[in-house]
Amino acid sequence: MSTPILEARELRVTYGGHVALDIPHLALAPGELVGVVGANGAGKSTLVNALLGWSRGAPAVSGSVRLAGEEIGALPPHARVARGLALVPEGGAVFMRLSVAENLAAATPPAGAAGRAHDEAQIEALFPRLRERRHHMASALSGGERQMLAIARALRLGPSALLLDEPSIGLAPRLVTDVLRAVRGLVDQHLSVLLVEQNVRAAIAVVDRLILLERGRILAQGPVAAMRDDPRILEAYLGEA
Ligand code: ATP
């Protein structure tokens, strides 16, 4: 197997005595879209935050994180971003009082990542709605448009691996499909994406592989074709006991 674009080993996050995450091994291959699903509190946000080196509260975090074979687990988030990792946190990350164009202009690629960064034309081709809304304030966008803007801002950082935390949350069903299709399109252009998704049905439609988290641990994982028939997925998430 080729070197994973993103790989974590013995990744543990604890709050006081409480283990929020305990992942012996997780890998994302180049050009792969992997979905992470699980109930509220399963540790999905904790996982993507720990991969970027970002945490809420003051947890103890340990373990190895490698990006394209290079150890980044001891680096602060901005240094991981400079090496090609980006995160769109839950709820997106946009400046509400800036226009779409200003939001995009404010996301400049770090030194070294400029060659990989999506330029304006590529972003407009991916999200035509953002071109139409160029001069609108982010606060005036719909939830789906704002999520597209948050993803577009991350693409301006030139990531080789992108972490997406629940991009479909709060979106109308048609917009969920639009956003996740756009994510699939990015992966088909060789971006690698780890997608946290509560909407398991929507995730199954686009991902290559699925990881099921429960209480901070990987309960099951595998190709989506096999996982969609896993009774734990069927019963808990697809309502087909
Ligand atoms: P959700 O879908 O609700 O966002 P999640 O799967 O993303 O859930 P996390 O938010 O990662 O779950 O939470 C995982 C565990 O870590 C939970 O047990 C939670 O209580 C704990 N946790 C998360 N943040 C903190 C914090 N700041 N302080 C203490 N415990 C925390």
Side-chain angles (χ1 to χ4, degrees), residues 9-237:
R9 284 186 194 278
E10 309 301 340
L11 189 60
R12 273 173 71 91
V13 177
T14 55
Y15 286 97
H18 173 69
V19 179
L21 192 74
D22 186 358
I23 305 279
H25 184 240
L26 178 149
L28 181 65
E32 191 178 34
L33 175 50
V34 174
V36 178
V37 299
N40 283 343
K44 306 180 298 296
S45 298
T46 302
L47 169 62
V48 286
N49 292 346
L51 290 169
L52 190 78
W54 190 52
S55 51
R56 290 171 295 172
V61 183
S62 61
S64 156
V65 180
R66 286 175 174 265
L67 186 69
E70 185 194 0
E71 179 62 44
I72 59 166
L75 299 178
H78 68 87
R80 300 188 199 199
V81 171
R83 279 163 180 75
L85 187 60
L87 165 69
V88 178
E90 197 173 320
V94 302
F95 296 108
M96 289 295 190
R97 290 165 175 272
L98 296 184
S99 70
V100 167
E102 288 165 341
N103 261 285
L104 291 173
T108 51
R116 301 187 304 260
H118 274 58
D119 62 24
E120 218 169 290
Q122 288 170 309
I123 284 173
E124 289 184 348
L126 184 67
F127 298 122
R129 283 295 283 169
L130 293 184
R131 182 178 48 223
E132 294 162 25
R133 300 282 191 168
R134 255 189 90 68
H135 301 297
H136 290 237
M137 290 241 281
S139 58
L141 300 179
S142 70
E145 292 164 347
R146 210 174 289 151
Q147 191 56 243
M148 290 172 195
L149 179 58
I151 295 172
R153 280 174 47 78
L155 295 175
R156 290 288 302 134
L157 303 176
S160 42
L162 181 61
L163 310 167
L164 291 178
D165 196 354
E166 308 223 6
S168 78
I169 208 153
L171 303 189
R174 192 178 52 78
L175 287 173
V176 172
T177 310
D178 285 356
V179 169
L180 294 189
R181 273 206 194 126
V183 171
R184 181 72 239 180
L186 288 167
V187 172
D188 292 342
Q189 293 163 31
H190 303 297
L191 186 68
S192 310
V193 174
L194 194 66
L195 167 74
V196 167
E197 213 12 283
Q198 281 223 321
N199 187 334
V200 176
R201 203 177 290 277
I204 280 176
V206 295
V207 302
D208 301 308
R209 215 147 50 77
L210 211 54
I211 294 175
L212 174 58
L213 278 190
E214 193 178 276
R215 294 196 198 112
R217 292 181 166 80
I218 295 179
L219 188 63
Q221 63 175 320
V224 69
M227 289 289 285
R228 70 193 316 160
D229 295 328
D230 186 302
R232 290 164 294 195
I233 295 277
L234 286 173
E235 285 164 26
Y237 300 100

